[in-house]
Amino acid sequence: MKLLKQYWLVLLILLLTAAAVLARTFCHSIFKYDAGRMAKPSALKTNLITEEQLSSLKGAVLLLNLGETGISGDKHGNFTMKVNPDSILVPKYLDKIVSQKGPVILSCSENSVSARIWMVLTQLGIRNLFILTADQDPEILKKEFRPDTLSMPEL
Amino acid sequence: MRNKITILLLSLSLILALLPLTANRSFTEKPGKLLSDVLDEDVTFSVDQVARFIVTEDSTIRIIDLRKPEEFRKLCLPGSVNLPYAEFIGTDPDMYLNNRNIKTIFYSNSDLDANYALVYARGLGYELTYAMEGGMTEWMNTVMESKFSGERISARENAVFEIRTRAGKLFTELNSLPESEKVRFMESKKFSARKLDGGCE
Amino acid sequence: MGPISSSFIFPEWLEMLAAFLIGTGFGFALEQGGFSSSRKLAGMFYGYDTTVLKVFFTAAIVALIGSQLMSYLGLLNLNQVYVNEFYVAASIVGGVIMGAGFIMGGFCPGTGICALSIGKIDAMIFVAGGLTGAFLFAESYPLIQDLANASYRGPVRINESLGLSSGLFTLIIVAAAALMFWIAELAEKRFARPDITAEI
Amino acid sequence: MKKNYMNPYLAGTMLGIVLLLAMFISGRGLGASGGIKYCVVSVVGAVDRQHASNSVYYNKYFENGQKPLKNWLVLEIFGIVAGGFISGAVSKRLTFKIEKSPKISNKRRLIFAFLGGVFFVYGAQLARGCTSGAALSGMAVLSTAGFVTMIAIFGSAFAFAWFFRKNWI
């Protein structure tokens, strides 16, 4: 008792800090991961997957169909979930994504939407999340530029 | 007193040692708000809008090229600044985005990198950030290959066409420059990373 | 989300006021800790009064732990907090010169200014010497420019060069400090001097 | 009746919280020697502007019409004076006096105080920070420069302590 009386302030500060830290650590509805580190796969392009690679994936795959024209996973025997992009954080869907053991694949006809959803979900701590793309690397420019060697610009 | 403070500090640092702590930062926006923000239509600009900014030399707009330096040297939008995507997420974006009066437009070759960057920047609280729809691919398709088609043209279409032609001309002029001259020109537009205040200097 | 200065642009008067208030807190804490007395400060180097050591390390550790906890809780962005630039030669040579100045004058600049404010005449002379020192440095800058800018390493963090997490490094520092406090109190008993508080 | 000094650990905690506040508000640590430098720079600028603009060193402080006195570090120094004065008034420690070991003369104490000041601030300019700016604030952000400077200051003070023992013991 005497000890408690002497150390009550120390204990109080410790408990409060521990509580705040624990609350932060176990809260799922806030961003708490290092943004740069989580985003790394997107710079390395290891978060992209083609249809070909998808069919060779083994194990339980969760396919998130984000639009009207996304592919259906039935032909690969995968589990497909159709989600409107703006309701992806609704607990009904999010819980499923969080509890998914195998890879989660984002499928959408628009890469821009997949990219945004990927970044949001990844920053929430979901790993093993891939974007289904038509190409191995859509970030390669296929257009050729024809320089005009006659024009001289005024700089 | 010594014991109390020593014990307190020791246990606090023990907590710290157990945390997966890095000196870096996580997103500050609330997930729900961030999601609805970035799914909104007004986070993107079409290539035509960007062409207009370029032609009018809009000073409230900054265009960031997220592609690799060698791609940038070969081909870039007039007035854009190069900041490779990997570097963008590897450093503190405050150095590039801290200006609260300037809108930043990201572009890459397609849609992916620009939209990652858009969410990344907005998640960290930089609201005036946008992506260019379709990236460089779309620019080449729409602006550079724009042609008159059909017989009659409305005033609006005519205005769009006019902008495209002028932007296309600027683009061609810049990118037709010999490599050495282009590098020199780009060096002058490099990002000067803001230094933090502090110390006794 | 801190630091406030990174998300909110202070008008000049507010920034100056903030600087003044932080300085006030700084001066108050220094004076209360006994840093306005040169004999207490110098006492550390002879073992009879280790107040400096205790206050200095406690302060550094409190700020160290506090900033990291705030960073973890999302209250402070440590990337936006200034990290001192490391010029290897200048840090060491400058530190050695400062140590010599410390033991001669009995103050460091912050404590000197603080002691001056409560009327210590020796502190006023110390600060006058300090102004002279700054003037001499400015005038001799062309001569020592090379030394001042030699072996620049940038704003490096010590735990990163050692490959430790900042939390673990903090724990080590705190443990070392706790040990040091214990030794310091032993030393105080060993090298005890007649109480000089009355003379101060 | 003079009050005793605060418990050093408590005072340290208070100082640490001030430092933390400084980091939180401005993203920078505490500093004292920098303010002294700015005072000198502004005096030199006022006395001989020509000299100031020709020198490599002063020059940068007068770029684009800056006023060296209107500066974070200078205001912080004024704050230290105010804070020290308040604390001295609260604890009834306000007196004009020369603090020294009874064994030495006033003159000796003042000469050494002056020399100490010259050395300390000279070293602080070289190392880009003094005990507060480099060592204390630097340690709080785990900066290598802070740790190295701290070890150099205390190490050299211990090493030189023997030569100046008469002044203090």
Side-chain angles (χ1 to χ4, degrees), chain C residues 28 31-37 40 118 120 195-200, chain D residues 1-7 86-95:
Chain C
F28 189 86
E31 213 287 330
Q32 283 297 318
F35 277 25
S36 57
S37 156
K40 269 179 102 66
I118 63 161
K120 294 275 168 69
D195 189 23
I196 54 166
T197 319
E199 295 171 30
I200 295 169
Chain D
M1 168 54 201
K2 272 199 280 197
K3 282 193 201 143
N4 276 334
Y5 291 112
M6 197 186 261
N7 177 300
I86 295 171
S87 162
V90 169
S91 305
K92 305 199 172 50
R93 279 193 284 265
L94 297 176
T95 43

Side-chain angles (χ1 to χ4, degrees), chain A residues 6 14 21 24 29 31 33-36 42 45 47 86 89 112 116 119 123 131 138-139 143 145 148, chain B residues 4 11 24-27 29 31 38 44 75 85 89 108-110 112-113 115-116 120 141 172 175-176:
Chain A
Q6 264 186 329
L14 263 183
V21 167
R24 177 115 182 136
S29 60
F31 293 113
Y33 295 92
D34 178 15
S42 63
K45 314 256 180 239
N47 63 331
D86 50 18
L89 293 179
S112 58
R116 291 177 208 166
M119 189 56 92
Q123 294 293 343
I131 296 175
E139 281 292 338
K143 287 278 164 186
F145 169 68
D148 178 359
Chain B
K4 279 186 202 166
S11 12
N24 300 318
R25 67 201 292 209
S26 47
F27 278 16
E29 202 63 77
V38 298
T44 55
L75 209 60
Y85 176 66
I89 59 166
S108 53
N109 278 331
S110 81
L112 286 176
D113 286 356
N115 281 285
Y116 296 140
Y120 191 84
N141 284 343
T172 312
N175 290 301
S176 302

